[in-house]
Coordinates of all heavy atoms in Angstrom, one line a residue:
A1427 N 52.8 -88.1 100.7 CA 53.7 -87.9 101.9 C 53.0 -87.4 103.0 O 53.2 -87.7 104.1 CB 54.9 -87.0 101.4
S1428 N 52.2 -86.3 102.9 CA 51.5 -85.7 103.9 C 50.5 -86.6 104.6 O 50.3 -86.7 105.8 CB 50.7 -84.4 103.3 OG 50.0 -83.8 104.5
R1429 N 49.8 -87.4 103.8 CA 48.9 -88.4 104.3 C 49.6 -89.4 105.2 O 49.1 -89.7 106.2 CB 48.1 -89.1 103.2 CG 47.1 -90.1 103.6 CD 46.5 -90.9 102.6 NE 47.5 -91.9 102.2 CZ 47.5 -92.7 101.1 NH1 46.5 -92.5 100.3 NH2 48.3 -93.5 100.8
E1430 N 50.7 -89.9 104.7 CA 51.4 -91.0 105.5 C 52.0 -90.4 106.7 O 52.2 -91.1 107.7 CB 52.4 -91.6 104.6 CG 51.8 -92.4 103.4 CD 50.8 -93.5 104.0 OE1 51.4 -94.6 104.5 OE2 49.7 -93.3 103.7
F1431 N 52.4 -89.2 106.6 CA 53.1 -88.5 107.8 C 52.0 -88.4 108.9 O 52.2 -88.7 109.9 CB 53.5 -87.0 107.5 CG 54.0 -86.3 108.6 CD1 55.3 -86.6 109.2 CD2 53.2 -85.4 109.3 CE1 55.7 -85.9 110.3 CE2 53.6 -84.8 110.4 CZ 54.8 -85.0 111.0
D1432 N 50.8 -87.9 108.5 CA 49.7 -87.7 109.4 C 49.2 -88.9 110.0 O 48.9 -89.1 111.2 CB 48.5 -86.9 108.8 CG 48.8 -85.4 108.5 OD1 49.8 -84.8 109.1 OD2 48.1 -84.8 107.7
R1433 N 49.1 -90.0 109.2 CA 48.5 -91.3 109.5 C 49.5 -92.1 110.4 O 49.1 -92.8 111.3 CB 48.1 -92.0 108.3 CG 47.2 -93.1 108.5 CD 46.6 -93.6 107.1 NE 47.6 -94.2 106.2 CZ 47.8 -95.5 106.1 NH1 47.1 -96.3 106.7 NH2 48.8 -95.8 105.3
I1434 N 50.7 -92.2 110.1 CA 51.7 -93.1 110.5 C 52.9 -92.5 111.4 O 53.2 -92.9 112.5 CB 52.3 -94.0 109.4 CG1 51.1 -94.8 108.8 CG2 53.4 -94.9 109.9 CD1 51.5 -95.6 107.6
V1435 N 53.6 -91.6 110.6 CA 54.8 -91.0 111.2 C 54.7 -90.1 112.4 O 55.2 -90.2 113.4 CB 55.7 -90.2 110.1 CG1 56.9 -89.7 110.6 CG2 56.0 -91.3 108.9
K1436 N 53.6 -89.1 112.3 CA 53.5 -88.2 113.3 C 53.1 -88.9 114.7 O 53.7 -88.4 115.7 CB 52.4 -87.1 112.9 CG 52.3 -86.0 114.0 CD 51.2 -85.0 113.4 CE 50.9 -83.9 114.5 NZ 50.4 -84.3 115.7
P1437 N 52.2 -89.8 114.7 CA 51.9 -90.4 116.0 C 53.1 -91.0 116.6 O 53.1 -91.0 117.9 CB 50.8 -91.5 115.6 CG 50.2 -90.9 114.3 CD 51.3 -90.2 113.6
Y1438 N 53.9 -91.7 115.8 CA 55.2 -92.3 116.3 C 56.1 -91.2 116.9 O 56.6 -91.4 118.0 CB 55.9 -93.1 115.2 CG 57.2 -93.6 115.6 CD1 57.3 -94.7 116.4 CD2 58.4 -93.0 115.2 CE1 58.5 -95.2 116.9 CE2 59.7 -93.5 115.6 CZ 59.6 -94.6 116.4 OH 60.9 -95.1 116.8
L1439 N 56.2 -90.1 116.2 CA 57.1 -89.1 116.7 C 56.6 -88.5 118.0 O 57.4 -88.2 119.0 CB 57.2 -88.0 115.6 CG 57.9 -88.3 114.3 CD1 57.8 -87.2 113.4 CD2 59.3 -88.8 114.5
D1440 N 55.3 -88.2 118.0 CA 54.6 -87.6 119.3 C 54.8 -88.6 120.4 O 55.1 -88.2 121.5 CB 53.1 -87.4 119.0 CG 52.9 -86.2 118.1 OD1 53.8 -85.3 118.0 OD2 51.9 -86.0 117.5
K1441 N 54.6 -89.8 120.2 CA 54.6 -90.8 121.3 C 56.1 -90.9 121.9 O 56.2 -91.1 123.1 CB 54.2 -92.3 120.7 CG 54.5 -93.3 121.7 CD 54.0 -94.7 121.1 CE 54.2 -95.8 122.0 NZ 54.1 -97.1 121.5
N1442 N 57.0 -90.8 121.0 CA 58.5 -90.9 121.5 C 59.2 -89.6 121.7 O 60.3 -89.6 122.0 CB 59.2 -91.8 120.5 CG 58.7 -93.2 120.5 OD1 59.0 -94.0 121.4 ND2 58.0 -93.6 119.4
D1443 N 58.5 -88.4 121.3 CA 59.1 -87.2 121.4 C 60.4 -87.1 120.6 O 61.5 -86.6 121.0 CB 59.4 -86.7 122.9 CG 58.3 -86.6 123.8 OD1 57.3 -86.0 123.2 OD2 58.4 -86.8 125.0
F1444 N 60.4 -87.6 119.4 CA 61.5 -87.5 118.4 C 61.2 -86.4 117.3 O 60.0 -86.1 117.1 CB 61.5 -88.8 117.6 CG 62.1 -90.0 118.4 CD1 61.9 -91.2 117.9 CD2 62.6 -89.9 119.6 CE1 62.4 -92.4 118.6 CE2 63.0 -91.0 120.4 CZ 62.9 -92.2 119.9
Y1445 N 62.3 -85.9 116.9 CA 62.2 -84.9 115.7 C 62.3 -85.7 114.4 O 63.0 -86.7 114.4 CB 63.4 -84.0 115.8 CG 63.6 -83.1 116.9 CD1 64.4 -83.5 118.0 CD2 63.0 -81.9 116.9 CE1 64.6 -82.6 119.1 CE2 63.1 -81.0 118.0 CZ 63.9 -81.3 119.1 OH 64.1 -80.6 120.1
L1446 N 61.7 -85.0 113.4 CA 61.9 -85.5 112.0 C 62.5 -84.3 111.3 O 61.9 -83.2 111.3 CB 60.6 -85.9 111.4 CG 60.7 -86.2 109.8 CD1 61.6 -87.4 109.6 CD2 59.3 -86.4 109.2
L1447 N 63.8 -84.4 110.8 CA 64.5 -83.4 110.0 C 64.5 -83.8 108.6 O 64.9 -84.9 108.3 CB 65.8 -83.2 110.6 CG 65.9 -82.8 112.2 CD1 67.3 -82.8 112.6 CD2 65.2 -81.5 112.5
V1448 N 64.1 -82.9 107.7 CA 64.0 -83.2 106.3 C 64.8 -82.1 105.6 O 64.6 -80.9 105.9 CB 62.5 -83.3 105.8 CG1 62.5 -83.6 104.3 CG2 61.7 -84.3 106.6
G1449 N 65.5 -82.4 104.6 CA 66.2 -81.4 103.7 C 67.2 -82.0 102.8 O 67.7 -83.1 103.0
N1450 N 67.4 -81.4 101.7 CA 68.3 -81.9 100.6 C 68.2 -83.3 100.2 O 69.1 -84.1 100.1 CB 69.7 -81.7 101.1 CG 70.1 -80.2 101.3 OD1 69.5 -79.4 100.6 ND2 70.9 -79.9 102.2
F1451 N 66.9 -83.7 100.0 CA 66.5 -85.1 99.6 C 67.0 -86.1 100.6 O 67.4 -87.1 100.2 CB 66.8 -85.4 98.2 CG 66.1 -84.5 97.1 CD1 66.4 -83.4 96.6 CD2 64.7 -84.9 96.9 CE1 65.6 -82.6 95.7 CE2 63.9 -84.3 96.1 CZ 64.4 -83.1 95.4
T1452 N 66.9 -85.8 101.8 CA 67.2 -86.7 102.8 C 66.4 -86.5 104.1 O 65.8 -85.4 104.2 CB 68.8 -86.7 103.2 OG1 69.0 -87.8 104.1 CG2 69.1 -85.4 103.8
W1453 N 66.3 -87.4 105.0 CA 65.5 -87.2 106.3 C 66.2 -88.0 107.3 O 66.9 -88.9 107.1 CB 64.1 -87.7 106.0 CG 63.9 -89.2 105.7 CD1 63.8 -89.7 104.4 CD2 64.0 -90.3 106.6 NE1 63.8 -91.1 104.5 CE2 63.9 -91.5 105.8 CE3 64.0 -90.5 108.0 CZ2 63.8 -92.7 106.3 CZ3 64.1 -91.7 108.5 CH2 63.9 -92.9 107.7
T1454 N 65.9 -87.6 108.5 CA 66.5 -88.4 109.7 C 65.5 -88.1 110.8 O 64.9 -87.0 111.0 CB 67.9 -87.9 110.1 OG1 68.4 -88.8 111.1 CG2 68.0 -86.4 110.6
I1455 N 65.4 -89.1 111.7 CA 64.6 -89.0 112.9 C 65.7 -88.9 114.0 O 66.7 -89.7 114.1 CB 63.7 -90.2 113.2 CG1 62.6 -90.1 112.1 CG2 63.2 -90.2 114.6 CD1 61.7 -91.3 112.3
V1456 N 65.5 -87.9 114.9 CA 66.5 -87.7 116.0 C 65.8 -87.8 117.3 O 64.7 -87.3 117.6 CB 67.0 -86.2 115.9 CG1 67.9 -85.9 117.0 CG2 67.7 -86.0 114.6
N1457 N 66.5 -88.6 118.2 CA 66.1 -88.8 119.6 C 66.8 -87.7 120.4 O 68.0 -87.7 120.6 CB 66.5 -90.1 120.1 CG 66.2 -90.4 121.5 OD1 65.8 -89.5 122.2 ND2 66.5 -91.5 121.9
P1458 N 66.2 -86.6 120.8 CA 66.8 -85.5 121.4 C 67.4 -85.9 122.8 O 68.2 -85.1 123.4 CB 65.7 -84.4 121.6 CG 64.4 -85.2 121.5 CD 64.6 -86.4 120.6
R1459 N 67.0 -87.0 123.4 CA 67.7 -87.5 124.5 C 68.8 -88.3 124.5 O 69.3 -88.8 125.5 CB 66.4 -88.3 125.4 CG 65.3 -87.4 125.8 CD 64.2 -88.2 126.4 NE 63.7 -89.3 125.7 CZ 62.8 -89.3 124.7 NH1 62.3 -88.1 124.3 NH2 62.4 -90.4 124.0
G1460 N 69.3 -88.5 123.3 CA 70.5 -89.1 123.1 C 71.8 -88.4 123.5 O 71.7 -87.2 124.1
K1461 N 72.9 -88.9 123.4 CA 74.1 -88.2 123.9 C 74.4 -86.9 123.0 O 74.1 -86.9 121.9 CB 75.4 -89.2 123.7 CG 75.4 -90.4 124.7 CD 76.6 -91.2 124.4 CE 76.6 -92.4 125.4 NZ 77.8 -93.2 125.3
G1462 N 74.9 -85.9 123.7 CA 75.1 -84.7 123.0 C 73.7 -84.0 122.7 O 72.9 -84.1 123.5

């Protein structure tokens, strides 16, 4: 998971300024520029 995060997910999050929230065996990507 750490390898795939560093290799694939993190560059995408950095490029788009998105958050990755993980907990309770679930995850979500959040666009902070969305409504609310």
Side-chain angles (χ1 to χ4, degrees):
S1428 179
R1429 181 190 74 192
E1430 294 304 287
F1431 175 81
D1432 290 341
R1433 197 170 65 98
I1434 296 171
V1435 179
K1436 184 179 181 295
Y1438 173 76
L1439 297 173
D1440 287 340
K1441 178 182 174 187
N1442 293 286
D1443 292 329
F1444 289 170
Y1445 294 96
L1446 174 65
L1447 303 175
V1448 180
N1450 295 327
F1451 289 100
T1452 187
W1453 59 266
T1454 189
I1455 291 180
V1456 176
N1457 175 353
R1459 294 178 303 279
K1461 292 183 179 180

